[in-house]
């Protein structure tokens, strides 16, 4: 079957006004093939750069992002519909922070990593060489279009790989990444962008990249893993979540209510680790809910395109039109099962701006408490005991993040350990993500693999194991011929070395004898 040379037109609309911004032409399969040829051609050049030189290239990207931040924010805001403040903190600031941290971190992580060598391998040396994998395919979602495309791509590049990145067709930000790469003076073809939807994603996998780094929904994650399994391509899957936030009765109400509000409504609830369900201890339930509702009603919500240009607007739009339908369906299901809306609950007419919503009388028979809503919706349930709330928090197929609020740090620590998630913040939500030294990723259906932290570089490496014998005169015990005397001596070593109180003299004596036998008993 020949390659598909046709392209598909995808409209990209403004999420607030619904006006069409432009039409995205998806790249053809022939183009994708060329992109991979270029990536494979440039990869040895990237590998030949020293880590210091690669870091310098990444620093150029940071300089460009800093110098052009307002223009970049304009594009992010226009395509995602998120507030300007959100775009600044969670994309521009975060990108700069990650680069700054890896400027120091990458050097240490890309060096040969020495490891101990056990006594039975006396005289030898062992180490790990972090080497590039080849070409990394990065596939990204719509919610952080600059951060999600740039950060994994740069980390993969730092590890010496070439990168092909496919942004979401909902927020492709056509031309932005290319501009950043070209105008910052980045290595040509080291990071290339391919546009299109799910068909383009599958065509990219058919090019057999050496690894896939995927961020997106669980449903797509499953498909990608299935497809990658045909070629045995390794995958990192950063998938969805249903993060629980737990508030105990001893908190500072004002601080906690403000923190919860941000955790639930930042980027209009479209963070994979947004607060998707809140559990509040019965003793403060009414007081905290009252404060949360009061604050929610004061949030400045963008209702026009112009609003999004302002720095004092708190909440923007839901980016994808189909996500609005999911949010509405979850709310409808909850109401039919007895939930009560305290504020919000609907879209601003003629837009994808969903009013920040607080719900009570909810339970785990409702989609709003069990499936990813991915919108500015905060369902709240009460609890009585620590055991009960741990059970509720873990009653989910997801395991991405979560948070615990309490003055009792011992209790918070206990609950953090008991929650089956990849990430936790205590007395804050998503604050763990602000520290690039911490690895990020999920468990259960939220995926696997970690990025950021040390693994942020190593996930893109072939961690090659090497053991060196300097041509010692020793004849190895496990080499041929196998004889009874060698067998007996190995038994002596096992008995002396692996018993609880080791008998070193016997081990060393037996090892020397093995060498002698090895020289005598030979073919
Ligand atoms: P999505 O899964 O619909 O799409 C993500 C990307 O996959 C897009 O680029 C899309 O074109 C591509 N794609 C779709 N089908 C494909 C296929 N069969 N083969 C190859 N590529 C394919 O996700 P979304 O709706 O864009 O994003 C929202 C989801 O992302 C939410 O579930 C959210 O929780 C999750 N997310 C997770 C993290 C994380 O780090 N864990 C971060 C952000 C978002």
């Amino acid at each position: 079957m020949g390659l598909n040379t046709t392209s598909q037109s995808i409209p990209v609309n403004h999420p607030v006004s619904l006006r069409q911004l432009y039409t995205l032409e998806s790249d053809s399969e022939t183009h994708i093939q060329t992109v991979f040829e270029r990536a494979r051609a440039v990869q040895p050049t990237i590998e030949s750069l020293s880590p210091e030189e690669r870091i310098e290239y990444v620093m150029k990207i940071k300089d460009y992002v800093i110098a052009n931040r307002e223009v970049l924010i304009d594009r992010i805001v226009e395509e995602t519909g998120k507030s300007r403040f959100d775009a600044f903190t969670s994309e521009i600031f975060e990108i700069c922070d990650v680069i700054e941290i890896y400027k120091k971190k990458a050097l240490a992580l890309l060096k040969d990593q020495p490891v101990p060598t056990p006594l039975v391998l006396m005289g030898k040396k062992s180490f790990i060489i972090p080497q590039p994998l080849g070409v990394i395919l990065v596939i990204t979602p719509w919610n952080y279009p600059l951060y999600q495309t740039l950060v994994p791509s740069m980390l993969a590049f730092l590890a010496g790989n070439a990168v092909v990145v496919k942004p979401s067709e909902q927020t492709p930000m056509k031309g932005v990444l290319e501009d950043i790469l070209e105008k910052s003076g980045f290595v040509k073809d080291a990071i290339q962008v391919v546009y299109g939807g799910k068909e383009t994603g599958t065509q990219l996998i058919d090019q057999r990249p050496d690894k896939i780094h995927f961020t997106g929904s669980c449903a797509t994650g499953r498909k990608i893993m299935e497809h990658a399994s045909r070629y045995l391509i390794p995958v990192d899957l950063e998938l969805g979540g249903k993060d629980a936030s737990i508030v105990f009765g001893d908190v500072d109400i004002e601080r906690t209510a403000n923190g919860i509000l941000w955790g639930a409504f930042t980027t209009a609830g479209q963070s994979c680790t947004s607060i998707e369900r809140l559990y509040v201890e019965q003793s403060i339930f009414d007081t905290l809910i009252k404060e949360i509702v009061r604050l929610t009603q004061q949030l400045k919500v963008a209702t026009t395109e112009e609003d999004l240009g302002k720095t004092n607007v708190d909440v923007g739009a839901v980016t994808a039109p189909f996500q609005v339908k999911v949010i509405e369906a979850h709310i409808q299901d909850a109401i039919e099962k007895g939930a009560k809306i305290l504020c919000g609950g609907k879209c601003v007419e003629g837009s994808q701006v969903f009013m920040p919503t607080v719900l009570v009388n909810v339970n785990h028979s409702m989609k709003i408490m069990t499936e990813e809503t991915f919108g500015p919706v905060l369902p709240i349930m009460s609890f009585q005991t620590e055991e009960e709330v741990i059970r509720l928090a873990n009653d989910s197929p997801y395991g991405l993040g979560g948070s615990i609020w309490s003055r009792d740090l011992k209790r918070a620590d206990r609950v953090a350990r008991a929650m089956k998630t990849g990430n936790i913040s205590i007395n804050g939500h998503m604050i763990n993500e602000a520290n690039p030294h911490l690895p990020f990723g999920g468990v259960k259906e939220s995926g696997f693999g970690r990025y950021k932290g040390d693994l942020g570089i190593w996930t893109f490496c072939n961690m090659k194991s090497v053991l060196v014998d300097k041509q010692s005169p020793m004849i190895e015990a496990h080499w041929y011929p196998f004889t009874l005397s060698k067998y007996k001596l190995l038994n002596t070593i096992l008995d002396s070395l692996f018993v609880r109180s080791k008998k070193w003299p016997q081990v060393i004596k037996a090892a020397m004898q093995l060498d002698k036998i090895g020289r005598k008993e030979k073919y």
Side-chain angles (χ1 to χ4, degrees), residues 139-143 148 166-169 196-198 201-202 205 214-217 220 223-224 238-241 272 372 374 400 440:
I139 301 183
T140 67
W142 79 66
N143 52 347
Q148 299 286 11
K166 190 197 87 60
S168 163
E169 63 277 30
K198 86 173 179 210
T202 61
I205 299 173
F214 173 74
T215 309
S217 65
T220 308
K223 286 185 199 147
I224 286 187
E238 300 284 349
L239 308 179
C272 50
E372 189 179 42
F374 219 56
L400 194 52
F440 179 82

Side-chain angles (χ1 to χ4, degrees), residues 266-283:
T266 180
T267 311
Q270 299 160 103
S271 294
C272 50
T273 46
S274 292
I275 300 177
E276 287 254 337
R277 49 199 172 117
L278 179 65
Y279 301 97
V280 179
E281 192 164 8
Q282 186 65 59
S283 56

Side-chain angles (χ1 to χ4, degrees), residues 164-221:
V164 176
V165 55
K166 190 197 87 60
S168 163
E169 63 277 30
Q170 298 298 320
T171 52
M173 304 226 301
K174 173 102 176 140
V176 170
L177 221 49
E178 294 90 322
D179 256 8
I180 296 176
L181 295 164
E182 199 191 317
K183 293 184 182 157
S184 66
F186 202 70
V187 184
K188 190 170 179 322
D189 295 338
I191 299 177
Q192 296 176 83
V193 195
V194 168
Y195 293 104
K198 86 173 179 210
E199 199 180 317
T200 307
T202 61
Q203 290 167 353
L204 286 163
I205 299 173
D206 283 332
Q207 291 296 320
R208 304 186 182 206
D210 297 286
K211 177 153 193 178
I212 303 170
H213 183 86
F214 173 74
T215 309
S217 65
C218 297
T220 308

Side-chain angles (χ1 to χ4, degrees), residues 54-110:
R54 287 180 221 152
I55 289 167
E56 189 43 41
Y57 277 112
V58 168
M59 293 292 282
K60 287 176 186 224
I61 290 190
K62 189 185 68 169
D63 296 341
Y64 183 90
V65 169
I66 292 172
N68 296 279
R69 70 189 101 158
E70 290 304 325
V71 183
L72 293 171
I73 290 174
D74 284 343
R75 278 301 291 275
I76 296 170
V77 163
E78 190 174 56
E79 295 200 16
T80 60
K82 67 172 74 176
S83 72
R84 214 171 172 79
F85 207 95
D86 275 337
F88 174 82
T89 51
S90 60
E91 305 228 39
I92 303 296
F93 197 93
E94 284 288 295
I95 289 166
C96 296
D97 196 29
V98 171
I99 296 179
E100 195 60 28
I101 300 263
Y102 278 96
K103 184 177 86 178
K104 297 170 200 123
K105 221 174 164 53
L107 274 187
L109 294 172
L110 291 169

